[in-house]
Amino acid sequence: MSHTLKQGAWLSDGSSAIGEIVAGLGYDFVVLDIEHGSFDLSILERFIPLLKGLGLEVLSKVLVPERGAIQQALDFGSDGVIIPHIESVEHAKRITDFAKFPPLGSRSLAGGRTMSYRGYSDEWIAAQDRDIKVFPMVEDPGALRDVEAIAALPTVDGIFIGPGDLAAMSGRGAYRQTEADFDDFRKVIAAARANDKPWVLPAWTTVEKEFAIAENADYVLLTMQHAAISEGYGNARALMDDLIANASVPAAS
């Protein structure tokens, strides 16, 4: 069976223009960084259906590992939730339960968008539990220690690797893409693969992208919104400065 690599963009605010650009460039999915970004509930309620209407899969990295944050992201129509700061398998079990309906978990029913503003059925509940993705983050040494058991939970649909916090919380300081970092990633990948579940890697650098390809990543994030904007403006400024420096007639000040 052929392997499909989904390529995504990291969004930090509710700019519809950025969403349209990303969709137009052929990206497959977006991650909304609610934890560190500038989203509020009224923006999310409108932004998530806009992105889905553009053909993008929407994964929301929720504010905190709590019921309310997970519930709101799902009620607004997210295709999945990424849950930060998971500390252990016991913590993962308690928190990921919030994203699946009983008897699998304890997600609360809410009439609205996900039900097409109508009622619901047993088939709708089963479809939600099947289709909505729940990705706990492995960014804490306790989660890495328990990653095999976390990946095996029926309320977990895949694993999201958090390189920066994982390196810092493991005592390695700033994340520098060392062999120790990639060894941690391989442990996560092995746990996900053993349970036939996908894994996600933010791959900002060439080294990370090459690693994702070599390890057959399922989801890879290619760049962050603010980094992409900074790079674009920076390249334009550098080009102009270079042209001015090499012009035969100096530009007027």
Side-chain angles (χ1 to χ4, degrees):
M1 188 172 68
S2 62
H3 177 263
T4 300
L5 170 64
K6 294 186 178 181
Q7 302 182 51
W10 185 278
L11 304 187
S12 298
D13 64 38
S15 168
S16 56
I18 295 293
E20 290 168 331
I21 290 169
V22 166
L25 290 171
Y27 280 69
D28 302 300
F29 75 101
V30 292
V31 167
L32 307 184
D33 185 9
I34 301 169
E35 181 189 8
H36 296 295
S38 58
F39 299 98
D40 63 28
L41 291 181
S42 62
I43 289 175
L44 283 173
E45 195 274 335
R46 294 166 176 78
F47 196 42
I48 290 171
L50 168 67
L51 295 169
K52 294 181 68 169
L54 293 168
L56 292 162
E57 182 176 355
V58 179
L59 305 177
S60 295
K61 184 160 83 75
V62 299
L63 182 63
V64 287
E66 295 178 358
R67 178 188 291 276
I70 294 169
Q71 185 72 58
Q72 286 168 332
L74 295 180
D75 286 348
F76 291 159
S78 297
D79 295 302
V81 286
I82 298 162
I83 306 174
H85 306 299
I86 293 299
E87 299 170 354
S88 65
V89 64
E90 294 82 8
H91 190 213
K93 172 68 174 65
R94 180 166 60 85
I95 299 301
T96 58
D97 269 11
F98 298 148
K100 302 290 185 182
F101 289 113
L104 183 57
S106 62
R107 179 179 170 184
S108 176
L109 284 160
R113 175 173 294 145
T114 58
M115 298 180 184
S116 301
Y117 304 99
R118 297 190 292 269
Y120 63 96
S121 63
D122 289 338
E123 289 75 19
W124 178 87
I125 290 174
Q128 285 281 298
D129 282 344
R130 182 192 64 231
D131 297 337
I132 295 298
K133 298 178 179 67
V134 181
F135 292 157
M137 289 186 72
V138 171
E139 55 182 347
D140 181 294
L144 181 64
R145 178 198 63 216
D146 292 349
V147 68
E148 293 179 5
I150 291 173
L153 289 172
T155 50
V156 166
D157 299 298
I159 302 291
F160 190 106
I161 300 171
D165 282 346
L166 185 56
M169 296 185 69
S170 298
R172 296 195 292 271
Y175 170 55
R176 293 187 292 273
Q177 302 165 56
T178 65
E179 272 307 302
D181 296 315
F182 289 111
D183 284 345
D184 285 350
F185 301 170
R186 292 186 184 96
K187 184 175 181 181
V188 174
I189 294 165
R193 290 287 179 240
N195 289 279
D196 196 25
K197 294 178 181 177
W199 57 279
V200 191
L201 180 69
W204 313 139
T205 68
T206 301
V207 170
E208 292 168 318
K209 289 178 173 63
E210 289 174 340
F211 176 86
I213 293 169
E215 297 289 344
N216 287 323
D218 300 283
Y219 289 78
V220 61
L221 284 148
L222 305 185
T223 189
M224 303 175 79
Q225 177 178 337
H226 294 158
I229 293 171
S230 178
E231 183 178 5
Y233 280 116
N235 288 343
R237 177 59 192 263
L239 173 61
M240 192 61 184
D241 288 346
D242 186 60
L243 293 173
I244 291 171
N246 292 287
S248 57
V249 179
S253 60

PDB file of all heavy atoms in Angstrom, residues 196-230:
ATOM      1  N   ASP A 196      -0.201   0.905  14.544  1.00  0.00           N
ATOM      2  CA  ASP A 196      -0.752   1.262  13.234  1.00  0.00           C
ATOM      3  C   ASP A 196      -1.444   2.632  13.276  1.00  0.00           C
ATOM      4  O   ASP A 196      -2.539   2.808  12.750  1.00  0.00           O
ATOM      5  CB  ASP A 196      -1.740   0.189  12.756  1.00  0.00           C
ATOM      6  CG  ASP A 196      -2.030   0.304  11.258  1.00  0.00           C
ATOM      7  OD1 ASP A 196      -1.182   0.845  10.534  1.00  0.00           O
ATOM      8  OD2 ASP A 196      -3.113  -0.134  10.821  1.00  0.00           O
ATOM      9  N   LYS A 197      -0.755   3.580  13.918  1.00  0.00           N
ATOM     10  CA  LYS A 197      -1.308   4.928  14.038  1.00  0.00           C
ATOM     11  C   LYS A 197      -0.313   5.937  13.475  1.00  0.00           C
ATOM     12  O   LYS A 197       0.902   5.706  13.507  1.00  0.00           O
ATOM     13  CB  LYS A 197      -1.617   5.240  15.508  1.00  0.00           C
ATOM     14  CG  LYS A 197      -2.746   4.365  16.068  1.00  0.00           C
ATOM     15  CD  LYS A 197      -3.022   4.636  17.536  1.00  0.00           C
ATOM     16  CE  LYS A 197      -4.141   3.718  18.037  1.00  0.00           C
ATOM     17  NZ  LYS A 197      -4.423   3.880  19.474  1.00  0.00           N
ATOM     18  N   PRO A 198      -0.804   7.067  12.994  1.00  0.00           N
ATOM     19  CA  PRO A 198       0.090   8.064  12.390  1.00  0.00           C
ATOM     20  C   PRO A 198       0.854   8.865  13.432  1.00  0.00           C
ATOM     21  O   PRO A 198       0.503   8.888  14.607  1.00  0.00           O
ATOM     22  CB  PRO A 198      -0.876   8.953  11.600  1.00  0.00           C
ATOM     23  CG  PRO A 198      -2.158   8.860  12.345  1.00  0.00           C
ATOM     24  CD  PRO A 198      -2.215   7.453  12.890  1.00  0.00           C
ATOM     25  N   TRP A 199       1.880   9.557  12.960  1.00  0.00           N
ATOM     26  CA  TRP A 199       2.633  10.472  13.815  1.00  0.00           C
ATOM     27  C   TRP A 199       2.898  11.758  13.045  1.00  0.00           C
ATOM     28  O   TRP A 199       2.908  11.786  11.822  1.00  0.00           O
ATOM     29  CB  TRP A 199       3.930   9.841  14.310  1.00  0.00           C
ATOM     30  CG  TRP A 199       4.869   9.359  13.250  1.00  0.00           C
ATOM     31  CD1 TRP A 199       4.793   8.171  12.566  1.00  0.00           C
ATOM     32  CD2 TRP A 199       6.014  10.045  12.733  1.00  0.00           C
ATOM     33  NE1 TRP A 199       5.821   8.077  11.671  1.00  0.00           N
ATOM     34  CE2 TRP A 199       6.596   9.207  11.747  1.00  0.00           C
ATOM     35  CE3 TRP A 199       6.622  11.258  13.007  1.00  0.00           C
ATOM     36  CZ2 TRP A 199       7.740   9.567  11.031  1.00  0.00           C
ATOM     37  CZ3 TRP A 199       7.772  11.625  12.317  1.00  0.00           C
ATOM     38  CH2 TRP A 199       8.311  10.773  11.343  1.00  0.00           C
ATOM     39  N   VAL A 200       3.083  12.819  13.822  1.00  0.00           N
ATOM     40  CA  VAL A 200       3.198  14.160  13.245  1.00  0.00           C
ATOM     41  C   VAL A 200       4.503  14.791  13.721  1.00  0.00           C
ATOM     42  O   VAL A 200       4.843  14.706  14.902  1.00  0.00           O
ATOM     43  CB  VAL A 200       2.028  15.065  13.690  1.00  0.00           C
ATOM     44  CG1 VAL A 200       1.994  16.355  12.879  1.00  0.00           C
ATOM     45  CG2 VAL A 200       0.702  14.329  13.630  1.00  0.00           C
ATOM     46  N   LEU A 201       5.217  15.457  12.789  1.00  0.00           N
ATOM     47  CA  LEU A 201       6.460  16.136  13.168  1.00  0.00           C
ATOM     48  C   LEU A 201       6.470  17.558  12.621  1.00  0.00           C
ATOM     49  O   LEU A 201       6.281  17.764  11.413  1.00  0.00           O
ATOM     50  CB  LEU A 201       7.672  15.388  12.596  1.00  0.00           C
ATOM     51  CG  LEU A 201       9.034  16.008  12.930  1.00  0.00           C
ATOM     52  CD1 LEU A 201       9.340  15.868  14.417  1.00  0.00           C
ATOM     53  CD2 LEU A 201      10.147  15.386  12.091  1.00  0.00           C
ATOM     54  N   PRO A 202       6.698  18.561  13.485  1.00  0.00           N
ATOM     55  CA  PRO A 202       7.020  19.893  12.969  1.00  0.00           C
ATOM     56  C   PRO A 202       8.435  19.853  12.409  1.00  0.00           C
ATOM     57  O   PRO A 202       9.376  19.575  13.160  1.00  0.00           O
ATOM     58  CB  PRO A 202       6.945  20.802  14.213  1.00  0.00           C
ATOM     59  CG  PRO A 202       6.358  19.949  15.300  1.00  0.00           C
ATOM     60  CD  PRO A 202       6.670  18.525  14.950  1.00  0.00           C
ATOM     61  N   ALA A 203       8.598  20.103  11.133  1.00  0.00           N
ATOM     62  CA  ALA A 203       9.907  19.955  10.476  1.00  0.00           C
ATOM     63  C   ALA A 203      10.267  21.278   9.810  1.00  0.00           C
ATOM     64  O   ALA A 203      10.067  21.457   8.607  1.00  0.00           O
ATOM     65  CB  ALA A 203       9.866  18.807   9.469  1.00  0.00           C
ATOM     66  N   TRP A 204      10.835  22.167  10.599  1.00  0.00           N
ATOM     67  CA  TRP A 204      11.114  23.513  10.062  1.00  0.00           C
ATOM     68  C   TRP A 204      12.381  23.522   9.215  1.00  0.00           C
ATOM     69  O   TRP A 204      12.499  24.319   8.287  1.00  0.00           O
ATOM     70  CB  TRP A 204      11.272  24.512  11.207  1.00  0.00           C
ATOM     71  CG  TRP A 204      10.234  24.479  12.287  1.00  0.00           C
ATOM     72  CD1 TRP A 204      10.462  24.590  13.629  1.00  0.00           C
ATOM     73  CD2 TRP A 204       8.810  24.374  12.154  1.00  0.00           C
ATOM     74  NE1 TRP A 204       9.276  24.544  14.329  1.00  0.00           N
ATOM     75  CE2 TRP A 204       8.264  24.414  13.455  1.00  0.00           C
ATOM     76  CE3 TRP A 204       7.955  24.232  11.059  1.00  0.00           C
ATOM     77  CZ2 TRP A 204       6.893  24.316  13.691  1.00  0.00           C
ATOM     78  CZ3 TRP A 204       6.586  24.128  11.295  1.00  0.00           C
ATOM     79  CH2 TRP A 204       6.075  24.178  12.578  1.00  0.00           C
ATOM     80  N   THR A 205      13.336  22.650   9.531  1.00  0.00           N
ATOM     81  CA  THR A 205      14.641  22.696   8.855  1.00  0.00           C
ATOM     82  C   THR A 205      14.747  21.582   7.818  1.00  0.00           C
ATOM     83  O   THR A 205      13.964  20.621   7.812  1.00  0.00           O
ATOM     84  CB  THR A 205      15.784  22.529   9.868  1.00  0.00           C
ATOM     85  OG1 THR A 205      15.750  21.177  10.381  1.00  0.00           O
ATOM     86  CG2 THR A 205      15.657  23.514  11.021  1.00  0.00           C
ATOM     87  N   THR A 206      15.778  21.710   6.978  1.00  0.00           N
ATOM     88  CA  THR A 206      16.026  20.666   5.970  1.00  0.00           C
ATOM     89  C   THR A 206      16.315  19.325   6.641  1.00  0.00           C
ATOM     90  O   THR A 206      15.817  18.279   6.184  1.00  0.00           O
ATOM     91  CB  THR A 206      17.200  21.078   5.073  1.00  0.00           C
ATOM     92  OG1 THR A 206      16.894  22.317   4.420  1.00  0.00           O
ATOM     93  CG2 THR A 206      17.483  20.018   4.010  1.00  0.00           C
ATOM     94  N   VAL A 207      17.108  19.343   7.704  1.00  0.00           N
ATOM     95  CA  VAL A 207      17.440  18.096   8.408  1.00  0.00           C
ATOM     96  C   VAL A 207      16.171  17.418   8.925  1.00  0.00           C
ATOM     97  O   VAL A 207      16.007  16.194   8.793  1.00  0.00           O
ATOM     98  CB  VAL A 207      18.413  18.394   9.565  1.00  0.00           C
ATOM     99  CG1 VAL A 207      18.588  17.167  10.454  1.00  0.00           C
ATOM    100  CG2 VAL A 207      19.754  18.851   9.024  1.00  0.00           C
ATOM    101  N   GLU A 208      15.279  18.191   9.493  1.00  0.00           N
ATOM    102  CA  GLU A 208      14.029  17.618  10.004  1.00  0.00           C
ATOM    103  C   GLU A 208      13.155  17.102   8.862  1.00  0.00           C
ATOM    104  O   GLU A 208      12.513  16.041   8.994  1.00  0.00           O
ATOM    105  CB  GLU A 208      13.282  18.674  10.810  1.00  0.00           C
ATOM    106  CG  GLU A 208      13.973  19.049  12.109  1.00  0.00           C
ATOM    107  CD  GLU A 208      13.371  20.284  12.749  1.00  0.00           C
ATOM    108  OE1 GLU A 208      13.059  21.251  12.016  1.00  0.00           O
ATOM    109  OE2 GLU A 208      13.217  20.292  13.966  1.00  0.00           O
ATOM    110  N   LYS A 209      13.112  17.820   7.770  1.00  0.00           N
ATOM    111  CA  LYS A 209      12.301  17.371   6.626  1.00  0.00           C
ATOM    112  C   LYS A 209      12.866  16.074   6.059  1.00  0.00           C
ATOM    113  O   LYS A 209      12.119  15.155   5.699  1.00  0.00           O
ATOM    114  CB  LYS A 209      12.250  18.472   5.551  1.00  0.00           C
ATOM    115  CG  LYS A 209      11.400  19.687   5.952  1.00  0.00           C
ATOM    116  CD  LYS A 209      11.432  20.765   4.875  1.00  0.00           C
ATOM    117  CE  LYS A 209      10.459  21.895   5.163  1.00  0.00           C
ATOM    118  NZ  LYS A 209      10.751  22.654   6.389  1.00  0.00           N
ATOM    119  N   GLU A 210      14.193  15.989   5.958  1.00  0.00           N
ATOM    120  CA  GLU A 210      14.818  14.753   5.456  1.00  0.00           C
ATOM    121  C   GLU A 210      14.527  13.594   6.406  1.00  0.00           C
ATOM    122  O   GLU A 210      14.281  12.465   5.946  1.00  0.00           O
ATOM    123  CB  GLU A 210      16.322  14.975   5.302  1.00  0.00           C
ATOM    124  CG  GLU A 210      16.688  15.902   4.151  1.00  0.00           C
ATOM    125  CD  GLU A 210      18.168  16.239   4.101  1.00  0.00           C
ATOM    126  OE1 GLU A 210      18.852  16.079   5.134  1.00  0.00           O
ATOM    127  OE2 GLU A 210      18.636  16.672   3.032  1.00  0.00           O
ATOM    128  N   PHE A 211      14.555  13.866   7.696  1.00  0.00           N
ATOM    129  CA  PHE A 211      14.237  12.821   8.678  1.00  0.00           C
ATOM    130  C   PHE A 211      12.785  12.353   8.493  1.00  0.00           C
ATOM    131  O   PHE A 211      12.511  11.146   8.511  1.00  0.00           O
ATOM    132  CB  PHE A 211      14.437  13.372  10.094  1.00  0.00           C
ATOM    133  CG  PHE A 211      14.057  12.413  11.185  1.00  0.00           C
ATOM    134  CD1 PHE A 211      14.960  11.473  11.651  1.00  0.00           C
ATOM    135  CD2 PHE A 211      12.770  12.444  11.750  1.00  0.00           C
ATOM    136  CE1 PHE A 211      14.602  10.581  12.661  1.00  0.00           C
ATOM    137  CE2 PHE A 211      12.414  11.558  12.749  1.00  0.00           C
ATOM    138  CZ  PHE A 211      13.328  10.627  13.207  1.00  0.00           C
ATOM    139  N   ALA A 212      11.877  13.306   8.324  1.00  0.00           N
ATOM    140  CA  ALA A 212      10.460  12.954   8.150  1.00  0.00           C
ATOM    141  C   ALA A 212      10.260  12.070   6.924  1.00  0.00           C
ATOM    142  O   ALA A 212       9.481  11.103   6.950  1.00  0.00           O
ATOM    143  CB  ALA A 212       9.622  14.230   8.039  1.00  0.00           C
ATOM    144  N   ILE A 213      10.946  12.392   5.851  1.00  0.00           N
ATOM    145  CA  ILE A 213      10.819  11.594   4.624  1.00  0.00           C
ATOM    146  C   ILE A 213      11.402  10.193   4.845  1.00  0.00           C
ATOM    147  O   ILE A 213      10.779   9.184   4.495  1.00  0.00           O
ATOM    148  CB  ILE A 213      11.541  12.296   3.455  1.00  0.00           C
ATOM    149  CG1 ILE A 213      10.821  13.605   3.100  1.00  0.00           C
ATOM    150  CG2 ILE A 213      11.613  11.377   2.233  1.00  0.00           C
ATOM    151  CD1 ILE A 213      11.605  14.494   2.146  1.00  0.00           C
ATOM    152  N   ALA A 214      12.589  10.152   5.445  1.00  0.00           N
ATOM    153  CA  ALA A 214      13.255   8.859   5.645  1.00  0.00           C
ATOM    154  C   ALA A 214      12.457   7.939   6.558  1.00  0.00           C
ATOM    155  O   ALA A 214      12.483   6.712   6.394  1.00  0.00           O
ATOM    156  CB  ALA A 214      14.652   9.095   6.230  1.00  0.00           C
ATOM    157  N   GLU A 215      11.744   8.535   7.522  1.00  0.00           N
ATOM    158  CA  GLU A 215      10.992   7.738   8.490  1.00  0.00           C
ATOM    159  C   GLU A 215       9.520   7.573   8.108  1.00  0.00           C
ATOM    160  O   GLU A 215       8.711   7.120   8.899  1.00  0.00           O
ATOM    161  CB  GLU A 215      11.089   8.386   9.879  1.00  0.00           C
ATOM    162  CG  GLU A 215      12.504   8.439  10.442  1.00  0.00           C
ATOM    163  CD  GLU A 215      13.031   7.068  10.843  1.00  0.00           C
ATOM    164  OE1 GLU A 215      12.222   6.140  10.975  1.00  0.00           O
ATOM    165  OE2 GLU A 215      14.263   6.936  11.006  1.00  0.00           O
ATOM    166  N   ASN A 216       9.170   8.013   6.894  1.00  0.00           N
ATOM    167  CA  ASN A 216       7.792   7.859   6.400  1.00  0.00           C
ATOM    168  C   ASN A 216       6.767   8.526   7.324  1.00  0.00           C
ATOM    169  O   ASN A 216       5.794   7.896   7.771  1.00  0.00           O
ATOM    170  CB  ASN A 216       7.427   6.393   6.208  1.00  0.00           C
ATOM    171  CG  ASN A 216       8.111   5.784   5.012  1.00  0.00           C
ATOM    172  OD1 ASN A 216       8.290   6.441   3.975  1.00  0.00           O
ATOM    173  ND2 ASN A 216       8.539   4.540   5.149  1.00  0.00           N
ATOM    174  N   ALA A 217       6.991   9.785   7.618  1.00  0.00           N
ATOM    175  CA  ALA A 217       6.032  10.529   8.429  1.00  0.00           C
ATOM    176  C   ALA A 217       4.669  10.552   7.756  1.00  0.00           C
ATOM    177  O   ALA A 217       4.553  10.507   6.527  1.00  0.00           O
ATOM    178  CB  ALA A 217       6.525  11.961   8.646  1.00  0.00           C
ATOM    179  N   ASP A 218       3.642  10.615   8.588  1.00  0.00           N
ATOM    180  CA  ASP A 218       2.276  10.696   8.057  1.00  0.00           C
ATOM    181  C   ASP A 218       1.851  12.151   7.873  1.00  0.00           C
ATOM    182  O   ASP A 218       1.169  12.490   6.904  1.00  0.00           O
ATOM    183  CB  ASP A 218       1.322   9.989   9.020  1.00  0.00           C
ATOM    184  CG  ASP A 218       1.688   8.529   9.189  1.00  0.00           C
ATOM    185  OD1 ASP A 218       1.371   7.743   8.275  1.00  0.00           O
ATOM    186  OD2 ASP A 218       2.300   8.178  10.202  1.00  0.00           O
ATOM    187  N   TYR A 219       2.217  12.983   8.838  1.00  0.00           N
ATOM    188  CA  TYR A 219       1.930  14.419   8.769  1.00  0.00           C
ATOM    189  C   TYR A 219       3.239  15.158   9.047  1.00  0.00           C
ATOM    190  O   TYR A 219       3.933  14.832  10.021  1.00  0.00           O
ATOM    191  CB  TYR A 219       0.936  14.840   9.857  1.00  0.00           C
ATOM    192  CG  TYR A 219      -0.491  14.390   9.684  1.00  0.00           C
ATOM    193  CD1 TYR A 219      -0.871  13.090   9.986  1.00  0.00           C
ATOM    194  CD2 TYR A 219      -1.477  15.286   9.261  1.00  0.00           C
ATOM    195  CE1 TYR A 219      -2.188  12.682   9.860  1.00  0.00           C
ATOM    196  CE2 TYR A 219      -2.794  14.895   9.137  1.00  0.00           C
ATOM    197  CZ  TYR A 219      -3.149  13.592   9.439  1.00  0.00           C
ATOM    198  OH  TYR A 219      -4.464  13.202   9.317  1.00  0.00           O
ATOM    199  N   VAL A 220       3.552  16.139   8.246  1.00  0.00           N
ATOM    200  CA  VAL A 220       4.729  16.960   8.517  1.00  0.00           C
ATOM    201  C   VAL A 220       4.354  18.434   8.337  1.00  0.00           C
ATOM    202  O   VAL A 220       3.687  18.807   7.365  1.00  0.00           O
ATOM    203  CB  VAL A 220       5.914  16.573   7.612  1.00  0.00           C
ATOM    204  CG1 VAL A 220       5.582  16.756   6.148  1.00  0.00           C
ATOM    205  CG2 VAL A 220       7.162  17.334   7.985  1.00  0.00           C
ATOM    206  N   LEU A 221       4.745  19.240   9.319  1.00  0.00           N
ATOM    207  CA  LEU A 221       4.510  20.681   9.249  1.00  0.00           C
ATOM    208  C   LEU A 221       5.739  21.338   8.656  1.00  0.00           C
ATOM    209  O   LEU A 221       6.857  21.123   9.129  1.00  0.00           O
ATOM    210  CB  LEU A 221       4.216  21.229  10.641  1.00  0.00           C
ATOM    211  CG  LEU A 221       2.801  20.896  11.119  1.00  0.00           C
ATOM    212  CD1 LEU A 221       2.764  20.715  12.624  1.00  0.00           C
ATOM    213  CD2 LEU A 221       1.826  21.968  10.668  1.00  0.00           C
ATOM    214  N   LEU A 222       5.541  22.154   7.614  1.00  0.00           N
ATOM    215  CA  LEU A 222       6.667  22.668   6.844  1.00  0.00           C
ATOM    216  C   LEU A 222       7.179  24.006   7.342  1.00  0.00           C
ATOM    217  O   LEU A 222       8.377  24.295   7.224  1.00  0.00           O
ATOM    218  CB  LEU A 222       6.268  22.796   5.369  1.00  0.00           C
ATOM    219  CG  LEU A 222       5.730  21.516   4.707  1.00  0.00           C
ATOM    220  CD1 LEU A 222       5.502  21.758   3.229  1.00  0.00           C
ATOM    221  CD2 LEU A 222       6.670  20.351   4.918  1.00  0.00           C
ATOM    222  N   THR A 223       6.315  24.857   7.841  1.00  0.00           N
ATOM    223  CA  THR A 223       6.768  26.161   8.316  1.00  0.00           C
ATOM    224  C   THR A 223       5.709  26.776   9.216  1.00  0.00           C
ATOM    225  O   THR A 223       4.534  26.397   9.175  1.00  0.00           O
ATOM    226  CB  THR A 223       7.077  27.106   7.139  1.00  0.00           C
ATOM    227  OG1 THR A 223       7.720  28.297   7.626  1.00  0.00           O
ATOM    228  CG2 THR A 223       5.810  27.502   6.388  1.00  0.00           C
ATOM    229  N   MET A 224       6.173  27.749  10.031  1.00  0.00           N
ATOM    230  CA  MET A 224       5.273  28.492  10.904  1.00  0.00           C
ATOM    231  C   MET A 224       4.861  29.790  10.201  1.00  0.00           C
ATOM    232  O   MET A 224       5.632  30.363   9.429  1.00  0.00           O
ATOM    233  CB  MET A 224       5.953  28.816  12.226  1.00  0.00           C
ATOM    234  CG  MET A 224       6.468  27.605  12.974  1.00  0.00           C
ATOM    235  SD  MET A 224       7.385  28.037  14.468  1.00  0.00           S
ATOM    236  CE  MET A 224       6.039  28.383  15.593  1.00  0.00           C
ATOM    237  N   GLN A 225       3.675  30.256  10.509  1.00  0.00           N
ATOM    238  CA  GLN A 225       3.134  31.447   9.853  1.00  0.00           C
ATOM    239  C   GLN A 225       4.084  32.636   9.968  1.00  0.00           C
ATOM    240  O   GLN A 225       4.426  33.273   8.965  1.00  0.00           O
ATOM    241  CB  GLN A 225       1.776  31.792  10.477  1.00  0.00           C
ATOM    242  CG  GLN A 225       1.151  33.075   9.926  1.00  0.00           C
ATOM    243  CD  GLN A 225      -0.202  33.342  10.551  1.00  0.00           C
ATOM    244  OE1 GLN A 225      -0.858  32.438  11.034  1.00  0.00           O
ATOM    245  NE2 GLN A 225      -0.632  34.589  10.536  1.00  0.00           N
ATOM    246  N   HIS A 226       4.510  32.954  11.174  1.00  0.00           N
ATOM    247  CA  HIS A 226       5.337  34.147  11.353  1.00  0.00           C
ATOM    248  C   HIS A 226       6.720  33.959  10.739  1.00  0.00           C
ATOM    249  O   HIS A 226       7.303  34.917  10.211  1.00  0.00           O
ATOM    250  CB  HIS A 226       5.442  34.500  12.836  1.00  0.00           C
ATOM    251  CG  HIS A 226       4.124  34.910  13.425  1.00  0.00           C
ATOM    252  ND1 HIS A 226       3.843  34.850  14.768  1.00  0.00           N
ATOM    253  CD2 HIS A 226       2.993  35.375  12.835  1.00  0.00           C
ATOM    254  CE1 HIS A 226       2.613  35.263  14.982  1.00  0.00           C
ATOM    255  NE2 HIS A 226       2.078  35.582  13.834  1.00  0.00           N
ATOM    256  N   ALA A 227       7.253  32.750  10.775  1.00  0.00           N
ATOM    257  CA  ALA A 227       8.551  32.493  10.148  1.00  0.00           C
ATOM    258  C   ALA A 227       8.456  32.652   8.634  1.00  0.00           C
ATOM    259  O   ALA A 227       9.372  33.195   7.994  1.00  0.00           O
ATOM    260  CB  ALA A 227       9.037  31.092  10.500  1.00  0.00           C
ATOM    261  N   ALA A 228       7.347  32.182   8.047  1.00  0.00           N
ATOM    262  CA  ALA A 228       7.168  32.298   6.596  1.00  0.00           C
ATOM    263  C   ALA A 228       7.065  33.758   6.181  1.00  0.00           C
ATOM    264  O   ALA A 228       7.650  34.184   5.177  1.00  0.00           O
ATOM    265  CB  ALA A 228       5.920  31.529   6.167  1.00  0.00           C
ATOM    266  N   ILE A 229       6.329  34.543   6.971  1.00  0.00           N
ATOM    267  CA  ILE A 229       6.197  35.972   6.661  1.00  0.00           C
ATOM    268  C   ILE A 229       7.549  36.665   6.812  1.00  0.00           C
ATOM    269  O   ILE A 229       7.955  37.468   5.959  1.00  0.00           O
ATOM    270  CB  ILE A 229       5.144  36.612   7.582  1.00  0.00           C
ATOM    271  CG1 ILE A 229       3.757  36.048   7.258  1.00  0.00           C
ATOM    272  CG2 ILE A 229       5.155  38.135   7.444  1.00  0.00           C
ATOM    273  CD1 ILE A 229       2.687  36.453   8.253  1.00  0.00           C
ATOM    274  N   SER A 230       8.247  36.365   7.878  1.00  0.00           N
ATOM    275  CA  SER A 230       9.562  36.971   8.113  1.00  0.00           C
ATOM    276  C   SER A 230      10.533  36.621   6.994  1.00  0.00           C
ATOM    277  O   SER A 230      11.280  37.486   6.511  1.00  0.00           O
ATOM    278  CB  SER A 230      10.113  36.494   9.461  1.00  0.00           C
ATOM    279  OG  SER A 230      11.401  37.024   9.690  1.00  0.00           O
TER     280      SER A 230
END
